[in-house]
Amino acid sequence: LGKLEIYLDQSNRIAGWNGENIDVNCIPDQDLCDILSEEEENGAAILSRPLYTMSRDLKYDPFEECDAVNAVADSLHSLYGGDFALINNGIICRDLCGEISRMSLLKTAPSILNPTTVWWKGNIIRQALKASIDPGFIRQDGKGPGFRGTVLGALAVSKNVKVIFGPADGLPEVYIDGIPMDDERIYCVTADDYLYRGIAGYTMLSGSEEPEIYHPGYIRDMLETTLKDESIVSGASSRRIIRSCGE
């Protein structure tokens, strides 16, 4: 337990504070501990019930384009539409493979983040994509509300997008459905509320040109549905990020 005293001035602004721990020297109740342990085991058993088995493994890499995060991006675009989808690799933390259960999805995608539709200008998206190949930038821990991953990671895009990095250290060429990205155009993008809030990492993406739309459930709830779709699983192998041999 703890005690916190906050002192306010006449304008109700915080003028000072004092806190202390209250030591509780009590012996745990064994009956209650046994009940909690039993219920934890019951909950784990329910979450571990197999839902289905994936047709093939989707490998994960936090810092490079990979099938696992491509599948997340394609899932976002397939379910919620928009011009395309954009997501950071840190949204998951391991391969998507084998027998799928709610427990495996919880371990793979632990973050409590919602699919979110936002509106971003082309030049802001291009800046974020450039940052996504900076080794130091993408190795940030990415800590922020709702984020339960280990690193920020690179960015992934849905399969209707091509991102081409030249040999020079410049902004990439981006094509959406074969059409060059317009830096001044506002694009409807499906992402998650972590990128939209811009609390850590890709802060250039903070906010939305139009009111954002939060979709129900977390990213792992979305994956529970979409990983049953063979077109999502097979399409994840299509490459979207092209880097010149000079890099």
Side-chain angles (χ1 to χ4, degrees):
L1 300 177
K3 177 181 178 181
L4 177 64
E5 295 177 327
I6 298 176
Y7 309 102
L8 305 178
D9 62 19
Q10 292 182 343
S11 300
N12 284 329
R13 295 193 178 106
I14 295 177
W17 61 273
N18 182 56
E20 62 177 302
N21 291 324
I22 299 174
D23 193 14
V24 181
N25 293 313
C26 62
I27 299 173
D29 183 275
Q30 190 57 49
D31 288 341
L32 179 57
C33 288
D34 291 343
I35 291 171
L36 292 173
S37 178
E38 181 180 355
E39 290 305 315
E40 183 177 355
E41 290 178 6
N42 290 338
I46 292 171
L47 289 173
S48 298
R49 291 172 183 166
L51 301 172
Y52 52 86
T53 300
M54 292 185 60
S55 60
R56 70 181 186 88
D57 295 348
L58 302 179
K59 296 298 183 181
Y60 174 66
D61 188 319
F63 308 124
E64 298 288 345
E65 181 180 4
C66 63
D67 289 3
V69 189
N70 279 353
V72 178
D74 290 346
S75 296
L76 287 165
H77 191 229
S78 174
L79 276 186
Y80 305 111
D83 293 310
F84 64 97
L86 181 75
I87 194 73
N88 64 303
N89 286 27
I91 192 66
I92 61 175
C93 54
R94 65 180 193 176
D95 297 349
L96 290 166
C97 59
E99 196 173 74
I100 297 298
S101 66
R102 290 192 172 100
M103 179 64 81
S104 71
L105 289 172
L106 178 61
K107 291 178 178 179
T108 302
S111 296
I112 49 174
L113 297 169
N114 303 97
T116 307
T117 298
V118 292
W119 282 262
W120 290 323
K121 269 192 171 184
N123 65 325
I124 298 299
I125 298 166
R126 209 185 297 269
Q127 290 172 28
L129 289 167
K130 179 184 177 182
S132 77
I133 63 169
D134 181 331
F137 184 88
I138 61 180
R139 281 170 170 76
Q140 297 178 64
D141 60 26
K143 289 178 181 176
F147 184 73
R148 301 289 185 269
T150 56
V151 291
L152 176 66
L155 286 176
V157 293
S158 50
K159 64 183 178 182
N160 66 320
V161 178
K162 289 289 184 188
V163 181
I164 304 173
F165 290 95
D169 184 20
L171 296 172
E173 299 177 41
V174 183
Y175 297 86
I176 303 166
D177 294 315
I179 301 172
M181 174 180 278
D182 182 343
D183 279 352
E184 296 304 313
R185 176 179 165 181
I186 297 172
Y187 290 90
C188 178
V189 184
T190 309
D192 67 3
D193 53 320
Y194 175 78
L195 290 178
Y196 156 70
R197 287 180 282 124
I199 295 171
Y202 294 99
T203 54
M204 69 286 287
L205 296 174
S206 175
S208 177
E209 297 288 341
E210 296 184 25
E212 75 286 355
I213 301 172
Y214 291 101
H215 301 289
Y218 300 136
I219 295 295
R220 60 176 171 267
D221 299 317
M222 173 193 74
L223 291 175
E224 180 181 331
T225 298
T226 58
L227 292 180
K228 292 183 288 187
D229 186 340
E230 182 56 33
S231 67
I232 295 290
V233 175
S234 61
S237 61
S238 68
R239 300 297 90 179
R240 302 103 196 264
I241 310 293
I242 301 171
R243 301 180 66 173
S244 76
C245 296
E247 290 191 315

PDB file of all heavy atoms in Angstrom, residues 211-238:
ATOM      1  N   PRO A 211     -10.862  13.539 -38.581  1.00  0.00           N
ATOM      2  CA  PRO A 211     -11.071  12.779 -37.342  1.00  0.00           C
ATOM      3  C   PRO A 211     -10.768  11.286 -37.521  1.00  0.00           C
ATOM      4  O   PRO A 211     -11.246  10.658 -38.466  1.00  0.00           O
ATOM      5  CB  PRO A 211     -12.553  13.018 -37.029  1.00  0.00           C
ATOM      6  CG  PRO A 211     -12.854  14.354 -37.657  1.00  0.00           C
ATOM      7  CD  PRO A 211     -12.033  14.381 -38.915  1.00  0.00           C
ATOM      8  N   GLU A 212      -9.973  10.768 -36.620  1.00  0.00           N
ATOM      9  CA  GLU A 212      -9.581   9.356 -36.677  1.00  0.00           C
ATOM     10  C   GLU A 212     -10.786   8.453 -36.393  1.00  0.00           C
ATOM     11  O   GLU A 212     -11.761   8.869 -35.776  1.00  0.00           O
ATOM     12  CB  GLU A 212      -8.462   9.069 -35.678  1.00  0.00           C
ATOM     13  CG  GLU A 212      -8.883   9.008 -34.222  1.00  0.00           C
ATOM     14  CD  GLU A 212      -9.180  10.365 -33.603  1.00  0.00           C
ATOM     15  OE1 GLU A 212      -8.973  11.395 -34.281  1.00  0.00           O
ATOM     16  OE2 GLU A 212      -9.624  10.397 -32.440  1.00  0.00           O
ATOM     17  N   ILE A 213     -10.676   7.200 -36.846  1.00  0.00           N
ATOM     18  CA  ILE A 213     -11.714   6.203 -36.591  1.00  0.00           C
ATOM     19  C   ILE A 213     -11.072   5.018 -35.893  1.00  0.00           C
ATOM     20  O   ILE A 213     -10.196   4.349 -36.453  1.00  0.00           O
ATOM     21  CB  ILE A 213     -12.393   5.736 -37.894  1.00  0.00           C
ATOM     22  CG1 ILE A 213     -13.030   6.923 -38.627  1.00  0.00           C
ATOM     23  CG2 ILE A 213     -13.443   4.658 -37.600  1.00  0.00           C
ATOM     24  CD1 ILE A 213     -13.550   6.561 -40.010  1.00  0.00           C
ATOM     25  N   TYR A 214     -11.497   4.759 -34.662  1.00  0.00           N
ATOM     26  CA  TYR A 214     -11.016   3.599 -33.931  1.00  0.00           C
ATOM     27  C   TYR A 214     -11.898   2.397 -34.256  1.00  0.00           C
ATOM     28  O   TYR A 214     -13.127   2.491 -34.217  1.00  0.00           O
ATOM     29  CB  TYR A 214     -11.041   3.841 -32.423  1.00  0.00           C
ATOM     30  CG  TYR A 214     -10.036   4.850 -31.938  1.00  0.00           C
ATOM     31  CD1 TYR A 214     -10.416   6.154 -31.638  1.00  0.00           C
ATOM     32  CD2 TYR A 214      -8.707   4.500 -31.771  1.00  0.00           C
ATOM     33  CE1 TYR A 214      -9.494   7.089 -31.187  1.00  0.00           C
ATOM     34  CE2 TYR A 214      -7.778   5.422 -31.311  1.00  0.00           C
ATOM     35  CZ  TYR A 214      -8.177   6.707 -31.027  1.00  0.00           C
ATOM     36  OH  TYR A 214      -7.263   7.632 -30.587  1.00  0.00           O
ATOM     37  N   HIS A 215     -11.278   1.273 -34.556  1.00  0.00           N
ATOM     38  CA  HIS A 215     -12.023   0.056 -34.845  1.00  0.00           C
ATOM     39  C   HIS A 215     -11.993  -0.856 -33.624  1.00  0.00           C
ATOM     40  O   HIS A 215     -11.028  -0.845 -32.855  1.00  0.00           O
ATOM     41  CB  HIS A 215     -11.430  -0.640 -36.069  1.00  0.00           C
ATOM     42  CG  HIS A 215     -11.437   0.224 -37.296  1.00  0.00           C
ATOM     43  ND1 HIS A 215     -12.598   0.541 -37.969  1.00  0.00           N
ATOM     44  CD2 HIS A 215     -10.436   0.863 -37.948  1.00  0.00           C
ATOM     45  CE1 HIS A 215     -12.309   1.320 -39.002  1.00  0.00           C
ATOM     46  NE2 HIS A 215     -11.001   1.540 -39.003  1.00  0.00           N
ATOM     47  N   PRO A 216     -13.025  -1.663 -33.425  1.00  0.00           N
ATOM     48  CA  PRO A 216     -13.107  -2.473 -32.205  1.00  0.00           C
ATOM     49  C   PRO A 216     -12.042  -3.559 -32.152  1.00  0.00           C
ATOM     50  O   PRO A 216     -11.580  -4.060 -33.172  1.00  0.00           O
ATOM     51  CB  PRO A 216     -14.516  -3.083 -32.281  1.00  0.00           C
ATOM     52  CG  PRO A 216     -14.871  -3.058 -33.737  1.00  0.00           C
ATOM     53  CD  PRO A 216     -14.210  -1.832 -34.283  1.00  0.00           C
ATOM     54  N   GLY A 217     -11.678  -3.911 -30.914  1.00  0.00           N
ATOM     55  CA  GLY A 217     -10.721  -4.991 -30.712  1.00  0.00           C
ATOM     56  C   GLY A 217      -9.284  -4.530 -30.864  1.00  0.00           C
ATOM     57  O   GLY A 217      -8.988  -3.406 -31.274  1.00  0.00           O
ATOM     58  N   TYR A 218      -8.369  -5.424 -30.510  1.00  0.00           N
ATOM     59  CA  TYR A 218      -6.941  -5.172 -30.631  1.00  0.00           C
ATOM     60  C   TYR A 218      -6.407  -5.803 -31.914  1.00  0.00           C
ATOM     61  O   TYR A 218      -7.104  -6.548 -32.597  1.00  0.00           O
ATOM     62  CB  TYR A 218      -6.196  -5.736 -29.420  1.00  0.00           C
ATOM     63  CG  TYR A 218      -6.620  -5.141 -28.104  1.00  0.00           C
ATOM     64  CD1 TYR A 218      -6.834  -5.957 -26.983  1.00  0.00           C
ATOM     65  CD2 TYR A 218      -6.816  -3.767 -27.956  1.00  0.00           C
ATOM     66  CE1 TYR A 218      -7.220  -5.409 -25.766  1.00  0.00           C
ATOM     67  CE2 TYR A 218      -7.204  -3.221 -26.747  1.00  0.00           C
ATOM     68  CZ  TYR A 218      -7.410  -4.050 -25.652  1.00  0.00           C
ATOM     69  OH  TYR A 218      -7.787  -3.511 -24.450  1.00  0.00           O
ATOM     70  N   ILE A 219      -5.151  -5.515 -32.226  1.00  0.00           N
ATOM     71  CA  ILE A 219      -4.525  -6.097 -33.423  1.00  0.00           C
ATOM     72  C   ILE A 219      -4.593  -7.626 -33.371  1.00  0.00           C
ATOM     73  O   ILE A 219      -4.860  -8.286 -34.382  1.00  0.00           O
ATOM     74  CB  ILE A 219      -3.064  -5.628 -33.547  1.00  0.00           C
ATOM     75  CG1 ILE A 219      -2.995  -4.102 -33.781  1.00  0.00           C
ATOM     76  CG2 ILE A 219      -2.340  -6.378 -34.663  1.00  0.00           C
ATOM     77  CD1 ILE A 219      -3.589  -3.628 -35.095  1.00  0.00           C
ATOM     78  N   ARG A 220      -4.381  -8.221 -32.198  1.00  0.00           N
ATOM     79  CA  ARG A 220      -4.421  -9.685 -32.110  1.00  0.00           C
ATOM     80  C   ARG A 220      -5.824 -10.230 -32.384  1.00  0.00           C
ATOM     81  O   ARG A 220      -5.964 -11.340 -32.903  1.00  0.00           O
ATOM     82  CB  ARG A 220      -3.914 -10.159 -30.754  1.00  0.00           C
ATOM     83  CG  ARG A 220      -4.687  -9.658 -29.552  1.00  0.00           C
ATOM     84  CD  ARG A 220      -4.136 -10.302 -28.282  1.00  0.00           C
ATOM     85  NE  ARG A 220      -4.698  -9.718 -27.077  1.00  0.00           N
ATOM     86  CZ  ARG A 220      -4.148  -8.712 -26.403  1.00  0.00           C
ATOM     87  NH1 ARG A 220      -3.028  -8.181 -26.835  1.00  0.00           N
ATOM     88  NH2 ARG A 220      -4.720  -8.243 -25.307  1.00  0.00           N
ATOM     89  N   ASP A 221      -6.855  -9.480 -32.027  1.00  0.00           N
ATOM     90  CA  ASP A 221      -8.223  -9.913 -32.332  1.00  0.00           C
ATOM     91  C   ASP A 221      -8.457  -9.920 -33.839  1.00  0.00           C
ATOM     92  O   ASP A 221      -9.111 -10.815 -34.374  1.00  0.00           O
ATOM     93  CB  ASP A 221      -9.237  -8.992 -31.647  1.00  0.00           C
ATOM     94  CG  ASP A 221      -9.090  -9.000 -30.129  1.00  0.00           C
ATOM     95  OD1 ASP A 221      -8.907 -10.094 -29.569  1.00  0.00           O
ATOM     96  OD2 ASP A 221      -9.151  -7.924 -29.519  1.00  0.00           O
ATOM     97  N   MET A 222      -7.917  -8.913 -34.512  1.00  0.00           N
ATOM     98  CA  MET A 222      -8.008  -8.859 -35.969  1.00  0.00           C
ATOM     99  C   MET A 222      -7.312 -10.070 -36.588  1.00  0.00           C
ATOM    100  O   MET A 222      -7.855 -10.726 -37.485  1.00  0.00           O
ATOM    101  CB  MET A 222      -7.377  -7.564 -36.474  1.00  0.00           C
ATOM    102  CG  MET A 222      -7.264  -7.453 -37.987  1.00  0.00           C
ATOM    103  SD  MET A 222      -6.181  -6.088 -38.500  1.00  0.00           S
ATOM    104  CE  MET A 222      -4.560  -6.770 -38.109  1.00  0.00           C
ATOM    105  N   LEU A 223      -6.115 -10.395 -36.086  1.00  0.00           N
ATOM    106  CA  LEU A 223      -5.349 -11.508 -36.646  1.00  0.00           C
ATOM    107  C   LEU A 223      -6.055 -12.841 -36.436  1.00  0.00           C
ATOM    108  O   LEU A 223      -5.936 -13.749 -37.260  1.00  0.00           O
ATOM    109  CB  LEU A 223      -3.955 -11.551 -36.030  1.00  0.00           C
ATOM    110  CG  LEU A 223      -3.025 -10.400 -36.412  1.00  0.00           C
ATOM    111  CD1 LEU A 223      -1.719 -10.494 -35.631  1.00  0.00           C
ATOM    112  CD2 LEU A 223      -2.755 -10.374 -37.903  1.00  0.00           C
ATOM    113  N   GLU A 224      -6.782 -12.968 -35.359  1.00  0.00           N
ATOM    114  CA  GLU A 224      -7.536 -14.207 -35.123  1.00  0.00           C
ATOM    115  C   GLU A 224      -8.467 -14.500 -36.290  1.00  0.00           C
ATOM    116  O   GLU A 224      -8.662 -15.651 -36.683  1.00  0.00           O
ATOM    117  CB  GLU A 224      -8.328 -14.095 -33.820  1.00  0.00           C
ATOM    118  CG  GLU A 224      -9.131 -15.334 -33.493  1.00  0.00           C
ATOM    119  CD  GLU A 224      -9.926 -15.193 -32.211  1.00  0.00           C
ATOM    120  OE1 GLU A 224      -9.501 -14.435 -31.302  1.00  0.00           O
ATOM    121  OE2 GLU A 224     -10.993 -15.845 -32.094  1.00  0.00           O
ATOM    122  N   THR A 225      -9.029 -13.434 -36.871  1.00  0.00           N
ATOM    123  CA  THR A 225      -9.931 -13.580 -38.014  1.00  0.00           C
ATOM    124  C   THR A 225      -9.167 -13.720 -39.325  1.00  0.00           C
ATOM    125  O   THR A 225      -9.421 -14.626 -40.122  1.00  0.00           O
ATOM    126  CB  THR A 225     -10.871 -12.360 -38.094  1.00  0.00           C
ATOM    127  OG1 THR A 225     -11.669 -12.303 -36.914  1.00  0.00           O
ATOM    128  CG2 THR A 225     -11.772 -12.442 -39.311  1.00  0.00           C
ATOM    129  N   THR A 226      -8.189 -12.861 -39.544  1.00  0.00           N
ATOM    130  CA  THR A 226      -7.589 -12.762 -40.882  1.00  0.00           C
ATOM    131  C   THR A 226      -6.595 -13.871 -41.196  1.00  0.00           C
ATOM    132  O   THR A 226      -6.397 -14.200 -42.368  1.00  0.00           O
ATOM    133  CB  THR A 226      -6.896 -11.403 -41.066  1.00  0.00           C
ATOM    134  OG1 THR A 226      -5.887 -11.244 -40.042  1.00  0.00           O
ATOM    135  CG2 THR A 226      -7.896 -10.264 -40.948  1.00  0.00           C
ATOM    136  N   LEU A 227      -5.957 -14.452 -40.194  1.00  0.00           N
ATOM    137  CA  LEU A 227      -4.969 -15.500 -40.476  1.00  0.00           C
ATOM    138  C   LEU A 227      -5.615 -16.795 -40.963  1.00  0.00           C
ATOM    139  O   LEU A 227      -4.919 -17.716 -41.403  1.00  0.00           O
ATOM    140  CB  LEU A 227      -4.099 -15.766 -39.243  1.00  0.00           C
ATOM    141  CG  LEU A 227      -3.158 -14.628 -38.832  1.00  0.00           C
ATOM    142  CD1 LEU A 227      -2.358 -15.003 -37.596  1.00  0.00           C
ATOM    143  CD2 LEU A 227      -2.229 -14.223 -39.972  1.00  0.00           C
ATOM    144  N   LYS A 228      -6.942 -16.870 -40.899  1.00  0.00           N
ATOM    145  CA  LYS A 228      -7.659 -18.003 -41.490  1.00  0.00           C
ATOM    146  C   LYS A 228      -7.819 -17.820 -42.996  1.00  0.00           C
ATOM    147  O   LYS A 228      -8.181 -18.762 -43.705  1.00  0.00           O
ATOM    148  CB  LYS A 228      -9.045 -18.149 -40.852  1.00  0.00           C
ATOM    149  CG  LYS A 228      -9.022 -18.566 -39.398  1.00  0.00           C
ATOM    150  CD  LYS A 228     -10.412 -18.771 -38.844  1.00  0.00           C
ATOM    151  CE  LYS A 228     -11.149 -17.469 -38.648  1.00  0.00           C
ATOM    152  NZ  LYS A 228     -12.444 -17.659 -37.956  1.00  0.00           N
ATOM    153  N   ASP A 229      -7.561 -16.616 -43.485  1.00  0.00           N
ATOM    154  CA  ASP A 229      -7.746 -16.269 -44.893  1.00  0.00           C
ATOM    155  C   ASP A 229      -6.467 -16.621 -45.661  1.00  0.00           C
ATOM    156  O   ASP A 229      -5.418 -16.014 -45.449  1.00  0.00           O
ATOM    157  CB  ASP A 229      -8.059 -14.778 -45.011  1.00  0.00           C
ATOM    158  CG  ASP A 229      -8.400 -14.342 -46.425  1.00  0.00           C
ATOM    159  OD1 ASP A 229      -8.040 -15.064 -47.383  1.00  0.00           O
ATOM    160  OD2 ASP A 229      -9.002 -13.263 -46.576  1.00  0.00           O
ATOM    161  N   GLU A 230      -6.551 -17.592 -46.550  1.00  0.00           N
ATOM    162  CA  GLU A 230      -5.374 -18.045 -47.277  1.00  0.00           C
ATOM    163  C   GLU A 230      -4.771 -16.937 -48.136  1.00  0.00           C
ATOM    164  O   GLU A 230      -3.556 -16.894 -48.354  1.00  0.00           O
ATOM    165  CB  GLU A 230      -5.717 -19.256 -48.145  1.00  0.00           C
ATOM    166  CG  GLU A 230      -4.549 -19.841 -48.904  1.00  0.00           C
ATOM    167  CD  GLU A 230      -3.387 -20.236 -48.015  1.00  0.00           C
ATOM    168  OE1 GLU A 230      -3.620 -20.646 -46.862  1.00  0.00           O
ATOM    169  OE2 GLU A 230      -2.225 -20.135 -48.479  1.00  0.00           O
ATOM    170  N   SER A 231      -5.609 -16.018 -48.632  1.00  0.00           N
ATOM    171  CA  SER A 231      -5.078 -14.931 -49.453  1.00  0.00           C
ATOM    172  C   SER A 231      -4.186 -13.999 -48.631  1.00  0.00           C
ATOM    173  O   SER A 231      -3.217 -13.443 -49.152  1.00  0.00           O
ATOM    174  CB  SER A 231      -6.221 -14.140 -50.096  1.00  0.00           C
ATOM    175  OG  SER A 231      -6.986 -13.439 -49.130  1.00  0.00           O
ATOM    176  N   ILE A 232      -4.493 -13.823 -47.346  1.00  0.00           N
ATOM    177  CA  ILE A 232      -3.639 -13.014 -46.464  1.00  0.00           C
ATOM    178  C   ILE A 232      -2.314 -13.728 -46.225  1.00  0.00           C
ATOM    179  O   ILE A 232      -1.235 -13.132 -46.319  1.00  0.00           O
ATOM    180  CB  ILE A 232      -4.345 -12.750 -45.120  1.00  0.00           C
ATOM    181  CG1 ILE A 232      -5.597 -11.888 -45.318  1.00  0.00           C
ATOM    182  CG2 ILE A 232      -3.391 -12.096 -44.122  1.00  0.00           C
ATOM    183  CD1 ILE A 232      -5.345 -10.459 -45.703  1.00  0.00           C
ATOM    184  N   VAL A 233      -2.381 -15.017 -45.942  1.00  0.00           N
ATOM    185  CA  VAL A 233      -1.178 -15.784 -45.631  1.00  0.00           C
ATOM    186  C   VAL A 233      -0.262 -15.895 -46.854  1.00  0.00           C
ATOM    187  O   VAL A 233       0.941 -15.637 -46.771  1.00  0.00           O
ATOM    188  CB  VAL A 233      -1.549 -17.190 -45.106  1.00  0.00           C
ATOM    189  CG1 VAL A 233      -0.302 -18.034 -44.894  1.00  0.00           C
ATOM    190  CG2 VAL A 233      -2.341 -17.072 -43.811  1.00  0.00           C
ATOM    191  N   SER A 234      -0.830 -16.247 -48.003  1.00  0.00           N
ATOM    192  CA  SER A 234      -0.005 -16.412 -49.203  1.00  0.00           C
ATOM    193  C   SER A 234       0.483 -15.077 -49.744  1.00  0.00           C
ATOM    194  O   SER A 234       1.595 -14.971 -50.257  1.00  0.00           O
ATOM    195  CB  SER A 234      -0.784 -17.167 -50.280  1.00  0.00           C
ATOM    196  OG  SER A 234      -1.955 -16.450 -50.656  1.00  0.00           O
ATOM    197  N   GLY A 235      -0.320 -14.029 -49.608  1.00  0.00           N
ATOM    198  CA  GLY A 235       0.064 -12.713 -50.125  1.00  0.00           C
ATOM    199  C   GLY A 235       1.153 -12.035 -49.333  1.00  0.00           C
ATOM    200  O   GLY A 235       1.786 -11.084 -49.816  1.00  0.00           O
ATOM    201  N   ALA A 236       1.412 -12.517 -48.109  1.00  0.00           N
ATOM    202  CA  ALA A 236       2.409 -11.875 -47.250  1.00  0.00           C
ATOM    203  C   ALA A 236       3.820 -11.986 -47.803  1.00  0.00           C
ATOM    204  O   ALA A 236       4.711 -11.222 -47.416  1.00  0.00           O
ATOM    205  CB  ALA A 236       2.355 -12.483 -45.853  1.00  0.00           C
ATOM    206  N   SER A 237       4.049 -12.924 -48.711  1.00  0.00           N
ATOM    207  CA  SER A 237       5.392 -13.107 -49.264  1.00  0.00           C
ATOM    208  C   SER A 237       5.722 -12.101 -50.360  1.00  0.00           C
ATOM    209  O   SER A 237       6.876 -12.003 -50.785  1.00  0.00           O
ATOM    210  CB  SER A 237       5.550 -14.523 -49.814  1.00  0.00           C
ATOM    211  OG  SER A 237       4.613 -14.757 -50.854  1.00  0.00           O
ATOM    212  N   SER A 238       4.733 -11.344 -50.844  1.00  0.00           N
ATOM    213  CA  SER A 238       5.019 -10.344 -51.890  1.00  0.00           C
ATOM    214  C   SER A 238       5.842  -9.214 -51.282  1.00  0.00           C
ATOM    215  O   SER A 238       5.523  -8.671 -50.230  1.00  0.00           O
ATOM    216  CB  SER A 238       3.711  -9.809 -52.485  1.00  0.00           C
ATOM    217  OG  SER A 238       2.994  -9.045 -51.532  1.00  0.00           O
TER     218      SER A 238
END
